[in-house]
Amino acid sequence: MKRALACLLVLFCFLFAQPLFAQNGPAPLIADPPSRTRISLDGMWNTIIDPYESGISSHFYENRKPASKTDLVEYDFDRSPKLKVPGDWNSQDEKLLFYEGPMWYQRSFSYQKKANKRVFLYFGAVNYLSRVWLNGTKLGEHVGGYTPFNFEVTEQLKDGDNSLVVEVDNTRHLEGVPSIHTDWWNYGGITRSVKLIEVPETFIEHYSVQMVKGHSEQLSVSLELNPGYVKLGIRGPDMSPTVEIPELHLKESCAESDRQGVMFCDFRAKPELWSPENPKLYDVIISAGQDRITDHIGFRTIETRGTQILLNGKPIFLRGISAHEEAPYRGGRAVSVDDDRTLISWAKELGCNFMRLTHYPHNEDMIRLADQMGMLIWDEVPVYWEIQFQNPGVLDNAKTQLRDVIARDQNRAAVIIWSIANETPIGPERNVFLKSMAEYARSLDSTRLIGAASDKATHIDAQHMALNDPLGEYLDVIGLNEYVGWYFGKKEDADQIQWSFKYQKPVIITEFGGGAQYGLHGDSDTRFTEEYQADLYRHQLTMLNKIPALAGMSPWVLMDFRSPRRTLSGIQDYFNRKGLFSDRGQRKQAFYVLQKFYDEKAKQAAVPSPSRQ
Ligand code: GCU
């Protein structure tokens, strides 16, 4: 009897208690394929800068108007300044360039409720902490500036006028991910699109359609339906989902499910394989009950063999570049497909087949564009420099960001590497933290490689440097950041240096480089001249090309980007000047040095050779 009561209680909690909890955290992230019915809430939003955060006690979220002439209401969104969403506030208004703190956003919209429809309010990203109210009801909070989140608003939505209020706070915190020190601008705001997504009462919450690791003729599909009761295997009307790939004349039922209610199926398929040279995407249609979605998915395999990276079973050299999500020409967060296309086109012009998107997940359009344009992607979460590795809440936060970027980008063929960290200090808490992150990433996606960037190389002697960072044990690919000729030593020192690595795994030089102000010229020993940067690249490429385990590189960095740490007036002016492009899109001399090197690498790769590509 007691046992039956306990089971009933668990069942009750599972089926009916969920909405009660939603008040604090977002709902599970729902898949947002292009075919979803969406209503954009982008545009000009009312804003109130609130450095002392008086908006909470003054109930800004009520968006109240004075009821009478005696009624005291000390805010009025409709008369407040407007800011563009998506967009950071720092680059939209000169006086907000350095602003870090709370900012209130409000917009009204009208909506027509529909029968048998559920609605989710979806944010592409908000930096950093966001609190969200709809019609005065708190939906919940979200932490993390670079991953999507959503709330179910089916109940809270009204027929007709609705008022949405979002408090955004980009204040940096020691326990944050990232923490208080970064070398990029802490752009605040609703930096990516906001939309309402309409779905049937039971819908496809998440799906992944991938090649089985190492099998280029076996597809594996997993998907989850929402609401949860399906997860308990209690089927309503027959939902069993099907997966169709019309171009391959494939239609498969996918009804098997595991204990968690995740449905899955595997089947043979012989798609044209996706690669940077041939970014082939297929329409994939998944149906379940009333729900039907279409996505555009490419199929490829990615794995390692010794110190080589294999794409579709063949060794590949990653001709890469690192890049921030900074808008070309105007600065600020890149927000549009045009911004993204420009950045990828510049990388293509350099001769790249690979981009390291740093140090946080960039917008989804960028990843989908990489799929379409044929650019391999390193996708990173902002476990950057010193964070509180000993703090369990920080690990939860980092894992949540990892879970959400994997859920968002899992079906993108372009993404080959999940990166769990950049330049973190070696130490027992950190090692345990990153081991746990690597295992978590693998548990969510066993088809891709796990990487991280370490700058913990050591000098053996003047001619020998080594990377023995214990982090390498947990990774599939080793990332090395080294700044020989900029932060230490002379450019020419690179000519003598031999590198060794503790782990026999593929090595990617995830960062090297030096600063140059576009148009500043002089002899090649003068810092910040284009000549210095170009010469540094020549010495670097000679050194790196001698590394036997070298499987790729992504020099630092595609374009000059804003950083609060770069204060050298007349040269940096709050920009990190290590770009091969200036922030105005001008190509520096070093651009041509790398372009030539990649051109040779591409030619080499085109000539099949027995040993190494
Ligand atoms: C580091 C770091 C970057 C930084 C770069 C630099 O390696 O990973 O985020 O911008 O060095 O110093 O320019």
Side-chain angles (χ1 to χ4, degrees), residues 183-184 324 356 359 384-385 422-423 455 481 483 487 511 556 561 566 576 578:
D183 188 25
W184 70 84
H324 266 291
R356 176 179 174 227
H359 293 288
Y384 180 89
W385 288 352
N422 179 74
E423 297 195 351
D455 62 338
N481 296 358
Y483 282 90
Y487 288 129
E511 290 183 35
W556 193 257
F561 61 94
R566 308 297 166 174
N576 182 312
K578 295 192 180 71

Side-chain angles (χ1 to χ4, degrees), residues 372-392:
Q372 290 157 26
M373 295 172 73
M375 186 62 76
L376 295 161
I377 297 289
W378 165 298
D379 218 337
E380 184 161 291
V381 289
V383 173
Y384 180 89
W385 288 352
E386 187 65 62
I387 66 168
Q388 290 186 342
F389 294 106
Q390 73 292 359
N391 180 337

Side-chain angles (χ1 to χ4, degrees), residues 169-347:
D169 187 348
N170 70 336
T171 302
R172 287 168 289 125
H173 300 278
L174 274 174
E175 71 280 9
V177 181
S179 183
I180 56 174
H181 297 298
T182 70
D183 188 25
W184 70 84
W185 208 265
N186 182 24
Y187 290 119
I190 304 179
T191 52
R192 294 180 191 156
S193 286
V194 186
K195 56 194 132 182
L196 295 172
I197 299 180
E198 292 177 344
V199 290
E201 282 169 332
T202 297
F203 68 96
I204 300 161
E205 179 186 282
H206 178 66
Y207 59 93
S208 100
V209 185
Q210 301 273 302
M211 278 279 141
V212 174
K213 196 167 182 99
H215 291 270
S216 56
E217 297 187 3
Q218 191 72 14
L219 276 182
S220 167
V221 176
S222 77
L223 58 106
E224 289 174 59
L225 301 180
N226 182 321
Y229 66 75
V230 174
K231 288 184 181 166
L232 290 175
I234 304 171
R235 291 185 179 287
D238 180 21
M239 298 292 292
S240 358
T242 60
V243 181
E244 285 170 72
I245 309 180
E247 210 182 323
L248 295 175
H249 312 294
L250 273 174
K251 182 165 185 167
E252 298 281 339
S253 122
C254 212
E256 272 196 74
S257 66
D258 66 15
R259 277 204 48 63
Q260 280 72 41
V262 177
M263 300 178 175
F264 57 87
C265 54
D266 281 20
F267 48 90
R268 283 185 58 71
K270 253 182 139 310
E272 219 181 298
L273 296 177
W274 184 99
S275 69
E277 296 73 29
N278 175 38
K280 171 66 183 168
L281 300 178
Y282 287 88
D283 283 359
V284 176
I285 303 161
I286 301 177
S287 319
Q290 304 308 312
D291 202 8
R292 180 187 162 87
I293 55 140
T294 303
D295 200 350
H296 314 301
I297 301 180
F299 301 110
R300 53 101 190 95
T301 64
I302 189 77
E303 54 203 309
T304 63
R305 184 179 59 200
T307 59
Q308 292 182 318
I309 294 176
L310 308 181
L311 176 68
N312 299 330
K314 290 199 220 60
I316 183 168
F317 183 85
L318 302 177
R319 306 187 305 271
I321 191 77
S322 293
H324 266 291
E325 190 187 38
E326 183 101 13
Y329 306 114
R330 70 175 192 283
R333 274 272 160 257
V335 288
S336 67
V337 172
D338 287 349
D339 290 338
D340 300 333
R341 192 182 302 286
T342 301
L343 297 174
I344 295 180
S345 310
W346 285 355

Side-chain angles (χ1 to χ4, degrees), residues 531-587:
E531 286 75 13
Y532 187 109
Q533 187 190 42
D535 195 36
L536 179 145
Y537 266 71
R538 286 188 206 93
H539 289 287
Q540 278 286 329
L541 296 171
T542 310
M543 171 181 74
L544 300 176
N545 218 13
K546 287 184 279 184
I547 297 176
L550 186 68
M553 57 176 68
S554 53
W556 193 257
V557 63
L558 179 67
M559 180 186 86
D560 293 354
F561 61 94
R562 265 212 184 88
S563 165
R565 307 168 65 84
R566 308 297 166 174
T567 54
L568 179 58
S569 290
I571 288 188
Q572 293 177 323
D573 298 318
Y574 294 108
F575 276 84
N576 182 312
R577 296 286 182 203
K578 295 192 180 71
L580 296 178
F581 285 81
S582 74
D583 51 300
R584 303 263 166 251
Q586 301 138 319
R587 293 151 187 74

